[in-house]
Amino acid sequence: MLVQKYKDMLSGKSVIRQLSEFASARGRQIGYENVFDYSLGNPSVPVPRDFTDGMIELLSTRESGELHGYSPSLGIDSVREAVAASLEKRFGLPYRKEHIFMASGAAGALAHAFRLVAQAGEEILTFAPFFPEYHPYVDLTGAVLKVVPADTESFQINFEGLEEMLTEKTAAVLINTPNNPSGVVYSADTLEGLARLLRERSQQYGHDIYLISDEPYREIVFEGVEAPFVSAFYENTIMCYSFSKSLSLPGERIGYVAVNPYCRDGKDMAAMCGQISRGIGHNCPPSIIQLAVARVLEQTADLGVYETNMKLLYRELTGLGFTCVKPGGTFYIFPKALEEDAKIFCQKALEYDLVLVPGDTFGAPGYFRMAYCIDTEKVERSLGALRRFVKEQYG
Amino acid sequence: MLVQKYKDMLSGKSVIRQLSEFASARGRQIGYENVFDYSLGNPSVPVPRDFTDGMIELLSTRESGELHGYSPSLGIDSVREAVAASLEKRFGLPYRKEHIFMASGAAGALAHAFRLVAQAGEEILTFAPFFPEYHPYVDLTGAVLKVVPADTESFQINFEGLEEMLTEKTAAVLINTPNNPSGVVYSADTLEGLARLLRERSQQYGHDIYLISDEPYREIVFEGVEAPFVSAFYENTIMCYSFSKSLSLPGERIGYVAVNPYCRDGKDMAAMCGQISRGIGHNCPPSIIQLAVARVLEQTADLGVYETNMKLLYRELTGLGFTCVKPGGTFYIFPKALEEDAKIFCQKALEYDLVLVPGDTFGAPGYFRMAYCIDTEKVERSLGALRRFVKEQYG
């Protein structure tokens, strides 16, 4: 018989996906340029030229078996070495090849990190607002995702809530900074406080509580904002990285797990990821993409457009009276809706061809997310629609 | 705390991997050309020229966002349509896009197929000799893999063993034809008998028993051998395909699940795979590889060398007195060892720089596997070593 739980999931359609489908349908009606689609976090800028040139060079010069053959199960050695060396150079921790496990994007990296440290019956804590896919990612491992309510003042960590929810059952705490959907970057104070609390409770409970740091937006940080390196604050950190956003290639499924070199058992953990892979059919990211990415580890796509867009939106939104924490990075902004039910608010916005996502999806009702990874020219044109929407509905 | 079961797995090193490491070490000593490494099933022939040209064309002409953007969670629509159309044209079943789920190689496809139909406590049956990774693939889902002993006369299905082991707990039967490690192709008689038995027992137990057909060697079939299309025999078949062997690109992680169009609930099953993905961090094969493979669906690498190698080895082995079923496809051959313990036999062979894999690994003690995906010139040179080995040790 078919396994019922997956059949049941078919009816629970993602709100983001539905909105994005609405935007496409509306685009076919009135022209795509007239739909202000802020629903999807799909990078809008091209991959770096060197990535494309590197791929073509690999295809033109490398012997087929060497280029397209099986990757070792933890990733290609030279690629793991290059990632470790780059992390050490940039962030100062003594990463080596054995701390790096190449993974198919952040989804692949997180699937391994969760299984490394959490079993059925144990808990992983995260903080609202949060990326909604964390729920199936964790829940289908048998562990349970628990969500600490948001600190809506700052979207930093709500420590009171965290202290209450940390228990002996807590296997790991999962953070995402710079954050989807709030755009907020956790401060050094936040990370110090978190590390202190996790050390205390690890001692109290007699087992390590791991910090899983989901960092796909690490390279998208705006001027004047300092983004502290999470792993430097807490030894038992498992970093999950993806090149999807920094290099604009979310379809190519490439990222890694980097275990803090000071982590207890740190030398075994990447190797354990290789064993986890056997149970979930992972078996490495594509070889050619591993090799091509290793050549542009310290490059990014031209990410400046996201900051330009953020400034335009932040100025307009605050000018219109929205309560809004200024994003420090990512390509998201997360203002408070102008009425209590953000779902109704976002529904009304659709009449102005503004596609916004209600915060309920991210565990923060009453807010909404705009993903501004779109052309600046379109952001500019959307401002008129935004003004009309606010004036006519809430003026 | 780290999850112990994955830590424990670190000590259980794969025999194939150990032998392959021995071969590399020995190669550094005496030169790689002097080690007759028959351990690994890594394709030895280059990818088709059209694949490489297609990749370069995609990289040179497609807009970055279109080329490297997120793939829909079941795979790129046009790719799924092309796969369905090609299967329908070649094999006559009315496949449509909704029956196809693009997966990261056979490992990815199988990870989805197992979760579609089997839950903790249920059983999946397979037949010795079998690909040893089936054990972690199945066991880590919570279901149990049970192995029907081999029919060592023919390496077709041992129906007596199967009838005994099929029970109410059987969720699926897993087959692999052309077979790794025996090289045998299941006959139409075998598949008809299997389908008849599965229908009977499905009726008797009141639930469908699925057939999961792992077909990475489908395109490697030798002259004069007819390879029946498995899905045509049994409606509840889930085919797991990989392009790794047919196109010689195992590192690029591309394959698919194809649900038999006549399968009960067949229209939901690919969509359910998309839900399963969320729990195992799968999230699609790489976009560019999907697009490139779709252009060469009906091509293969130049696979003729495998048949040439098989003929050389089969003639030599049978001439030397080995009992051996003639392979109908793949790049494996699975003769009976010349002493009872094939592990000792293979150990002795290493003294002649012949790297053979004992059948114990494949659930068939007393036999050994040779993976002849190597240059024909090397196969020819290995025959002398094989003769010396047999004469000196067993003459």
Side-chain angles (χ1 to χ4, degrees):
Chain A
M1 285 187 304
L2 296 186
V3 173
Q4 194 62 34
K5 70 177 166 187
Y6 297 115
K7 208 165 178 179
D8 292 344
M9 285 171 77
L10 291 179
S11 52
K13 233 181 172 183
S14 143
V15 175
I16 300 178
R17 187 66 61 148
Q18 278 175 305
L19 284 164
S20 152
E21 282 168 12
F22 168 90
S24 299
R26 183 74 177 142
R28 283 190 292 275
Q29 248 175 6
I30 63 166
Y32 293 100
E33 69 284 7
N34 298 315
V35 182
F36 306 114
D37 182 3
Y38 286 108
S39 66
L40 272 192
N42 216 346
S44 59
V45 294
V47 290
R49 184 72 234 168
D50 284 352
F51 174 82
T52 306
D53 291 347
M55 287 279 285
I56 293 175
E57 194 193 314
L58 286 165
L59 287 159
S60 309
T61 59
R62 290 278 184 109
E63 192 264 314
S64 172
E66 185 199 354
L67 185 58
H68 301 301
Y70 279 114
S71 158
S73 52
L74 308 187
I76 296 171
D77 278 359
S78 62
V79 176
R80 295 167 68 206
E81 274 159 15
V83 167
S86 166
L87 287 174
E88 182 179 31
K89 189 180 99 182
R90 290 185 59 200
F91 303 113
L93 296 189
Y95 288 100
R96 295 292 174 270
K97 184 183 81 174
E98 63 260 33
H99 304 114
I100 307 299
F101 170 78
M102 299 305 297
S104 298
L110 289 167
H112 288 82
F114 295 148
R115 284 165 177 81
L116 258 181
V117 299
Q119 311 197 58
E122 296 180 339
E123 294 177 357
I124 295 178
L125 300 189
T126 197
F127 303 93
F130 69 102
F131 176 52
E133 285 299 288
Y134 287 166
H135 257 304
Y137 286 4
V138 172
D139 296 347
L140 290 169
T141 67
V144 179
L145 183 73
K146 296 259 175 166
V147 181
V148 179
D151 170 351
T152 52
E153 284 302 302
S154 65
F155 294 124
Q156 299 281 326
I157 283 178
N158 162 7
F159 277 101
E160 211 169 296
L162 174 60
E163 290 194 15
E164 208 167 288
M165 292 178 71
L166 268 172
T167 72
E168 292 205 345
K169 285 160 91 178
T170 309
V173 168
L174 166 63
I175 62 173
N176 172 222
T177 172
N179 183 265
N180 172 12
S182 74
V184 160
V185 177
Y186 282 0
S187 67
D189 273 359
T190 295
L191 295 170
E192 270 162 21
L194 178 61
R196 200 179 317 120
L197 184 58
L198 292 184
R199 278 191 206 107
E200 266 172 38
R201 295 295 180 96
S202 293
Q203 180 121 37
Q204 184 183 333
Y205 302 145
H207 67 81
D208 292 328
I209 300 173
Y210 288 89
L211 180 61
I212 299 174
S213 181
D214 179 25
E215 306 189 11
Y217 302 98
R218 190 179 65 208
E219 308 302 337
I220 313 182
V221 176
F222 303 143
E223 215 191 313
V225 178
E226 205 209 335
F229 184 63
V230 174
S231 298
F233 288 79
Y234 187 61
E235 52 286 1
N236 289 319
T237 302
I238 305 168
M239 185 212 302
C240 294
Y241 187 73
S242 162
F243 294 96
S244 293
K245 297 352 192 204
S246 61
L247 292 177
S248 278
L249 36 64
E252 307 309 356
R253 315 311 304 138
I254 178 87
Y256 57 80
V257 172
V259 175
N260 189 317
Y262 299 120
C263 195
R264 198 196 309 267
D265 291 320
K267 292 208 179 223
D268 282 342
M269 289 165 67
M272 284 171 68
C273 286
Q275 299 301 323
I276 292 168
S277 290
R278 300 167 78 188
I280 59 176
H282 180 267
N283 217 347
C284 280
S287 302
I288 187 173
I289 310 284
Q290 287 189 58
L291 294 168
V293 156
R295 295 168 164 225
V296 291
L297 282 182
E298 292 177 19
Q299 291 192 39
T300 66
D302 184 2
L303 306 170
V305 59
Y306 302 138
E307 182 156 3
T308 306
N309 293 352
M310 183 277 286
K311 284 180 177 163
L312 282 167
L313 285 170
Y314 181 73
R315 193 174 57 198
E316 188 68 33
L317 286 161
T318 49
L320 286 168
F322 283 89
T323 302
C324 183
V325 176
K326 190 175 184 182
T330 75
F331 38 59
Y332 305 110
I333 191 166
F334 200 61
K336 193 160 192 223
L338 295 180
E339 60 182 293
E340 205 179 330
D341 189 334
K343 294 194 295 295
I344 296 174
F345 175 85
C346 294
Q347 194 60 44
K348 288 181 184 165
L350 289 179
E351 292 165 34
Y352 300 83
D353 295 312
L354 285 162
V355 188
L356 318 174
V357 182
D360 306 66
T361 298
F362 308 98
Y367 292 77
F368 65 97
R369 186 187 80 169
M370 300 176 81
Y372 45 86
C373 37
I374 61 176
D375 289 345
T376 301
E377 172 275 327
K378 201 168 191 180
V379 174
E380 280 165 345
R381 281 193 294 115
S382 80
L383 299 180
L386 190 63
R387 280 192 289 269
R388 273 196 301 120
F389 166 46
V390 170
K391 195 175 158 206
E392 290 177 18
Q393 298 290 332
Y394 304 96
Chain B
M1 285 189 305
L2 297 185
V3 173
Q4 193 61 36
K5 70 176 166 187
Y6 296 115
K7 208 165 177 179
D8 292 343
M9 286 171 75
L10 290 179
S11 52
K13 235 182 170 183
S14 143
V15 174
I16 300 178
R17 186 68 59 145
Q18 278 174 305
L19 284 164
S20 154
E21 281 167 14
F22 168 89
S24 298
R26 183 78 177 139
R28 281 189 294 274
Q29 249 176 4
I30 63 166
Y32 293 101
E33 70 283 6
N34 298 315
V35 181
F36 306 114
D37 183 3
Y38 286 108
S39 66
L40 273 192
N42 216 347
S44 59
V45 294
V47 290
R49 184 71 235 170
D50 283 352
F51 174 82
T52 305
D53 291 347
M55 286 279 284
I56 292 174
E57 193 192 315
L58 286 165
L59 287 160
S60 309
T61 59
R62 290 279 183 108
E63 192 265 315
S64 172
E66 185 199 353
L67 184 58
H68 302 299
Y70 280 115
S71 157
S73 52
L74 308 187
I76 296 171
D77 277 1
S78 62
V79 176
R80 295 168 67 205
E81 274 159 14
V83 168
S86 166
L87 287 174
E88 182 178 31
K89 189 180 99 182
R90 291 185 59 199
F91 303 112
L93 297 190
Y95 287 99
R96 295 293 174 269
K97 184 183 80 172
E98 63 261 31
H99 303 114
I100 307 298
F101 170 77
M102 298 305 297
S104 297
L110 290 167
H112 288 82
F114 296 147
R115 284 164 177 82
L116 257 181
V117 300
Q119 311 197 57
E122 294 179 342
E123 294 178 357
I124 295 178
L125 301 189
T126 197
F127 303 92
F130 68 103
F131 176 51
E133 285 297 289
Y134 287 166
H135 256 304
Y137 287 3
V138 172
D139 295 347
L140 291 169
T141 67
V144 179
L145 183 74
K146 297 259 175 165
V147 182
V148 179
D151 170 351
T152 52
E153 283 302 302
S154 65
F155 293 124
Q156 299 281 325
I157 284 178
N158 163 5
F159 277 102
E160 211 169 295
L162 175 61
E163 289 193 20
E164 208 167 287
M165 291 178 70
L166 267 172
T167 72
E168 291 205 346
K169 285 160 89 180
T170 309
V173 168
L174 166 62
I175 63 173
N176 170 221
T177 172
N179 183 265
N180 172 12
S182 74
V184 159
V185 177
Y186 282 1
S187 67
D189 272 359
T190 294
L191 294 171
E192 269 162 22
L194 178 61
R196 199 180 318 118
L197 183 58
L198 292 184
R199 277 190 207 107
E200 266 172 38
R201 295 294 180 96
S202 293
Q203 181 122 37
Q204 183 182 334
Y205 302 143
H207 66 83
D208 292 328
I209 300 173
Y210 288 88
L211 181 60
I212 299 175
S213 181
D214 179 24
E215 307 189 10
Y217 301 99
R218 190 179 65 208
E219 308 303 335
I220 314 182
V221 176
F222 303 142
E223 215 191 312
V225 178
E226 205 209 335
F229 183 63
V230 173
S231 297
F233 289 79
Y234 186 62
E235 52 287 1
N236 289 319
T237 301
I238 304 168
M239 183 212 302
C240 294
Y241 187 74
S242 162
F243 294 96
S244 293
K245 298 349 194 204
S246 61
L247 293 176
S248 278
L249 37 64
E252 307 309 357
R253 315 309 307 137
I254 178 86
Y256 56 80
V257 173
V259 175
N260 189 317
Y262 300 120
C263 194
R264 197 195 310 266
D265 292 319
K267 293 208 178 225
D268 282 341
M269 288 166 68
M272 284 172 69
C273 286
Q275 299 301 323
I276 292 168
S277 291
R278 299 168 78 189
I280 59 176
H282 181 267
N283 216 349
C284 280
S287 301
I288 187 172
I289 310 283
Q290 287 189 58
L291 293 168
V293 157
R295 295 168 163 223
V296 292
L297 282 180
E298 293 178 18
Q299 291 192 38
T300 66
D302 184 2
L303 305 170
V305 60
Y306 303 137
E307 181 157 4
T308 307
N309 293 352
M310 182 277 286
K311 284 180 177 161
L312 282 168
L313 285 171
Y314 182 73
R315 193 175 55 200
E316 188 68 35
L317 286 162
T318 49
L320 286 168
F322 283 89
T323 302
C324 183
V325 177
K326 189 175 185 183
T330 75
F331 37 60
Y332 305 110
I333 191 165
F334 200 62
K336 194 161 191 225
L338 295 181
E339 60 183 294
E340 203 179 332
D341 189 334
K343 293 195 295 295
I344 296 174
F345 175 84
C346 294
Q347 194 62 41
K348 288 182 185 165
L350 289 179
E351 291 165 33
Y352 299 82
D353 295 312
L354 286 163
V355 188
L356 318 174
V357 182
D360 306 66
T361 298
F362 308 98
Y367 291 77
F368 65 97
R369 187 186 80 170
M370 300 177 81
Y372 46 83
C373 37
I374 62 176
D375 289 347
T376 301
E377 172 275 327
K378 201 168 191 179
V379 173
E380 281 165 346
R381 280 194 295 116
S382 79
L383 299 181
L386 191 62
R387 280 191 289 268
R388 273 196 300 120
F389 165 46
V390 170
K391 195 177 159 204
E392 290 176 18
Q393 298 289 333
Y394 305 96

